[in-house]
Amino acid sequence: MYIMEKLKQNIKEYQLNAGKTHTMYEQDEYNHYQNYLYKRALYGLNSLTEEELATMCGKKKQRIINVYKRAQVVLNTFKQTATISYTNFLFKTLFPNSPITQFLLSESKTDDKFKNILTFKDLNISKEQIISIFMSEGILPKNFLSLEEPQNQLPRLRNDKA
């Protein structure tokens, strides 16, 4: 009987405090415009709303697609490099004198035809690393970290009367 009373008390406390619970989301130091450019490079046209796509001209869509494709190639190469360095470390640690380890350590080239499907989280790749890579490859502008919100609205669309 005591267990049932304790359970009822716990439920009452939970119900009283349930409205006070909230989730804290991780926030980064980038502004809206920087996040917009980052997501546009990382996700391509999928990062845009239907309204933005409907009012955007074909040439701008094609530029976004080209940047997106280049970003995916760069990220795939980076993910392969990270995977190779991790597996080399693993084999060198576990099997230091094995001939297979020596062979794997000597072969560290990436393959453009292979698509690395590991997630950024699996490879411990942060948003800052991705931005750094994008900046060095010219996918994001060199002054990306110092960009401020543009004075006009995001993005400038064909039908705007600004």
Side-chain angles (χ1 to χ4, degrees), residues 130-149:
I130 295 170
I131 288 173
S132 174
I133 293 163
F134 282 178
M135 287 171 56
S136 67
E137 293 290 329
I139 295 167
L140 289 175
K142 299 279 186 219
N143 64 343
F144 177 80
L145 298 175
S146 62
L147 285 177
E148 295 180 12
E149 297 280 340

Side-chain angles (χ1 to χ4, degrees), residues 24-80:
M24 293 294 292
Y25 290 102
E26 188 177 312
Q27 296 209 347
D28 54 27
E29 68 272 8
Y30 304 108
N31 63 38
H32 182 71
Y33 184 60
Q34 289 169 321
N35 280 316
Y36 172 78
L37 292 176
Y38 169 77
K39 287 178 183 176
R40 196 172 74 175
L42 191 62
Y43 302 115
L45 294 178
N46 291 331
S47 68
L48 303 173
T49 65
E50 291 294 325
E51 179 188 340
E52 289 173 325
L53 286 172
T55 56
M56 191 177 288
C57 71
K59 288 183 180 182
K60 185 161 185 167
K61 287 181 188 176
Q62 191 58 49
R63 283 196 311 268
I64 292 172
I65 291 169
N66 292 342
V67 168
Y68 166 73
K69 286 180 180 178
R70 202 167 94 231
Q72 292 304 307
V73 168
V74 167
L75 283 175
N76 188 49
T77 304
F78 182 71
K79 286 166 62 174
Q80 284 186 42

Side-chain angles (χ1 to χ4, degrees), residues 1-39:
M1 191 68 175
Y2 173 74
I3 295 173
M4 196 58 135
E5 292 298 320
K6 180 89 170 157
L7 183 62
K8 286 180 182 178
Q9 182 64 29
N10 286 344
I11 290 173
K12 280 184 182 179
E13 288 176 15
Y14 175 77
Q15 288 174 341
L16 290 175
N17 296 325
K20 298 175 185 171
T21 60
H22 61 281
T23 304
M24 293 294 292
Y25 290 102
E26 188 177 312
Q27 296 209 347
D28 54 27
E29 68 272 8
Y30 304 108
N31 63 38
H32 182 71
Y33 184 60
Q34 289 169 321
N35 280 316
Y36 172 78
L37 292 176
Y38 169 77
K39 287 178 183 176

